[in-house]
């Protein structure tokens, strides 16, 4: 987007907000953020493994620094990248498939054959929970698929979903690193979780955990997730967790190479340089997308009523959830924008954008959505009901009809949600 000054930049609010989103995405490009964390290459065998939506781009960046490397990385369909020697396997997300199961088993076989003189670099990013799929004994791929689908529609925070997933996996919660022992393993991680807890990113395949089966069952009860009896039984009989101080993890180290706060800071700096007053609402917001939207919309209306003579931008990150109530095509970012649009009711000064930095909001190949003062009017002209769309969790369907979708294609990174509300001065 060409920018010749503050007036030009804010003259097209949708383009301005989309540009800030793309700035946030670019800040987390593995080609830029990975190399500073790569150690000097040591003599001996180096094996590269990885999983997540950014993992293939991370592998590409690693080989651009080291040259050809041995390894296996699992990424989402459509997120593959050209590598020199590292094998890229594409599999399903957010519900796992057979390709992910087969690739995960190959990865486990690879690392379990290594010895104390060998070095592993693990490239981990969001999405790895589904892509690294190794069902615990007694469970099938179909069981894992059903569990994932139930969790995704429950509305529970991602931290709770991952706690449950860890109980029924042979690879999550430090199990991958334990299997690789005594080889040394360095995990380079792009965070997509509120708080950047490494044990939550991709369910922590190289990080110990304190989550117990009892905690997972309590979360299922709290969020009223209905599962077949044999899956609940498998969770109940899950072994004790691999704790962070387990001796098998002594050779495991980790560095976070990109995080939501850095991307929000890049967008903030760009907006500030154009004279916009940026207000930060945090990089770790969780909860129902529609509830958070209403809260942010109320704040925006309050600020608009104060008659500021300059533009104000509300920036936030984190990971919202959607409790599935209808049969629509969902998406927490699109639902956030739709709920905000309804709360703002065509407010003349306020524009809203929310997108997932991986380019996929929910299960749709759409990053998110934009709503401006005329969004509800456009919907009314087309006989499209925003209220009905929200009731049916069909925000993507709504914005497709009114022209509000933000489509980027694969971004090759993932630092969680990006939300921005622009409040223009009157006149």
């Amino acid at each position: 987007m060409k920018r010749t000054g503050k007036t030009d930049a804010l003259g097209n609010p949708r383009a301005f907000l989309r540009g800030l989103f793309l700035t946030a995405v670019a800040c987390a490009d593995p080609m830029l953020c990975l190399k500073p964390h790569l150690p000097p290459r040591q003599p001996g065998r180096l094996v590269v493994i990885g999983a997540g939506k950014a993992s293939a781009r991370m592998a590409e960046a690693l080989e651009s620094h080291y040259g050809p490397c041995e390894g296996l990385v699992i990424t989402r369909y459509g997120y593959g990248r050209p590598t020199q020697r590292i094998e890229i396997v594409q599999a399903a997300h957010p519900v796992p498939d057979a390709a992910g199961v087969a690739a995960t088993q190959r990865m486990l076989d690879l690392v379990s054959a290594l010895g104390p003189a060998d070095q592993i670099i693990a490239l981990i990013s969001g999405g790895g929970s589904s892509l690294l799929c190794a069902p615990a004994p007694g469970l099938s791929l179909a069981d894992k698929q059903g569990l994932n689908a139930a969790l995704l529609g429950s509305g529970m925070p991602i931290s709770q979903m991952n706690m449950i997933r860890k109980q029924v996996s042979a690879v999550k919660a430090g199990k991958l690193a334990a299997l690789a022992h005594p080889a040394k393993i360095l995990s380079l991680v792009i965070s997509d979780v509120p708080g950047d807890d490494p044990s939550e990113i991709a369910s922590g395949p190289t990080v110990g955990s304190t989550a117990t089966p009892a905690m997972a069952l309590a979360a299922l009860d709290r969020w009223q997730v209905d599962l077949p009896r044999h899956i609940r039984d498998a969770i109940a009989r899950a072994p004790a967790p691999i704790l962070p101080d387990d001796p098998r993890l002594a050779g495991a180290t980790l560095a976070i190479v990109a995080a939501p706060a850095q991307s929000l800071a890049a967008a903030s700096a760009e907006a500030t340089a154009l004279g916009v007053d940026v207000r930060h609402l945090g990089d770790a917001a969780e909860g129902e997308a529609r509830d958070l939207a209403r809260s942010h919309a109320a704040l925006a209306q309050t600020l608009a009523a104060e008659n500021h003579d300059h533009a104000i931008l509300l920036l936030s990150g984190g990971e919202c959830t959607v409790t599935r109530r209808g049969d629509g095509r969902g998406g927490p970012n699109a639902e956030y924008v739709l709920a905000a649009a309804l709360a703002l009711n065509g407010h003349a000064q306020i524009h809203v954008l929310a997108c997932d930095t991986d380019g996929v909001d929910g299960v749709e190949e759409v990053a998110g959505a934009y709503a401006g003062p005329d969004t509800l009017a456009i919907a009314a002209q087309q006989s499209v009901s925003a209220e009905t769309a929200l009731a049916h969790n069909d925000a993507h369907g709504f914005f497709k009809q009114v022209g509000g979708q933000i489509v980027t294609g694969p971004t090759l990174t993932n630092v969680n949600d990006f939300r921005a509300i622009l409040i223009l001065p009157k006149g």
Side-chain angles (χ1 to χ4, degrees), residues 238-312:
I242 295 175
L243 299 175
D245 61 354
D246 189 292
R248 292 170 292 176
L249 304 184
T253 56
L254 182 144
I256 293 179
V257 304
Q262 298 164 352
S263 288
L264 289 175
S268 175
E270 184 169 331
T272 300
L274 294 168
V276 178
D277 178 7
V278 180
R279 312 285 180 92
H280 293 273
L281 304 182
D283 65 351
E286 294 184 285
E288 283 285 333
R290 62 182 65 190
D291 294 338
L292 186 67
R294 290 165 183 150
S295 174
H296 287 180
L299 174 59
Q301 289 171 307
T302 297
L303 293 171
E306 293 175 356
N307 292 321
H308 295 277
D309 60 359
H310 56 269
I312 298 174

Side-chain angles (χ1 to χ4, degrees), residues 191-194 260 317-320 355-358 414-418:
S191 172
D192 73 325
V193 301
E319 187 163 14
C320 292
C355 293
D356 197 316
T357 54
D358 64 9
N414 185 14
V415 287
N416 228 319
D417 298 339
F418 173 94

Side-chain angles (χ1 to χ4, degrees), residues 14-307:
R14 176 171 178 161
F16 171 71
L17 293 174
R18 181 186 172 104
L20 294 182
F21 168 62
L22 294 179
T23 293
V25 169
C27 179
D29 184 345
M31 199 60 72
L32 299 176
C33 65
L34 186 74
K35 292 180 183 179
H37 297 273
L38 291 172
R41 186 163 182 173
Q42 301 297 316
R45 187 178 182 188
L46 171 65
V47 175
V48 179
I49 61 173
K53 297 174 192 172
S55 60
R57 179 69 162 173
M58 296 171 81
E60 182 184 20
L62 181 145
E63 284 193 322
S64 73
H65 182 73
Y66 284 152
C69 293
E70 172 188 3
L72 172 65
V73 162
I74 311 170
T75 194
R76 187 180 191 269
Y77 289 121
Y79 281 61
R81 293 298 296 168
T83 49
Q84 299 173 55
R85 188 181 170 198
I86 297 171
E87 181 183 357
I88 307 296
V89 175
Q90 299 185 51
H93 176 277
V95 177
D97 67 357
V101 172
T104 301
Q105 186 57 55
R106 289 176 56 205
M107 186 181 296
L108 295 177
D109 292 342
L110 174 63
V111 301
S112 64
L114 300 178
D118 299 322
Q119 172 72 52
I120 302 170
I121 294 183
L123 307 174
I124 305 297
S125 66
S129 288
S130 298
L131 297 165
L132 276 177
C133 184
L139 295 180
S140 66
L141 171 59
D143 292 329
K144 292 293 292 287
Q145 291 171 330
L147 173 62
N148 267 27
L151 295 178
L152 290 168
S154 70
M156 70 169 58
I158 188 64
S159 59
Q160 299 293 290
M161 293 187 202
N162 286 346
M163 178 176 64
I164 295 163
R165 289 165 169 163
K166 290 173 181 179
Q167 309 306 315
V168 292
S169 171
V171 67
K172 298 174 175 59
K175 299 182 183 76
L176 176 62
L179 192 61
H181 178 76
K184 297 180 178 63
I185 183 166
L186 167 64
S187 298
L188 299 178
V189 180
I190 294 181
S191 172
D192 73 325
V193 301
D196 304 329
D197 181 350
S199 70
E200 298 300 335
I201 304 164
S203 296
T206 64
V207 181
S209 172
T210 58
T212 65
M215 294 165 63
L217 292 171
L220 289 171
D221 292 339
R222 177 184 175 188
W223 294 94
Q224 299 180 331
V225 181
D226 186 24
L227 293 176
R229 186 74 239 174
H230 73 283
I231 296 181
R232 285 188 64 97
D233 289 345
I235 294 172
R237 65 172 181 266
I242 295 175
L243 299 175
D245 61 354
D246 189 292
R248 292 170 292 176
L249 304 184
T253 56
L254 182 144
I256 293 179
V257 304
Q262 298 164 352
S263 288
L264 289 175
S268 175
E270 184 169 331
T272 300
L274 294 168
V276 178
D277 178 7
V278 180
R279 312 285 180 92
H280 293 273
L281 304 182
D283 65 351
E286 294 184 285
E288 283 285 333
R290 62 182 65 190
D291 294 338
L292 186 67
R294 290 165 183 150
S295 174
H296 287 180
L299 174 59
Q301 289 171 307
T302 297
L303 293 171
E306 293 175 356
N307 292 321

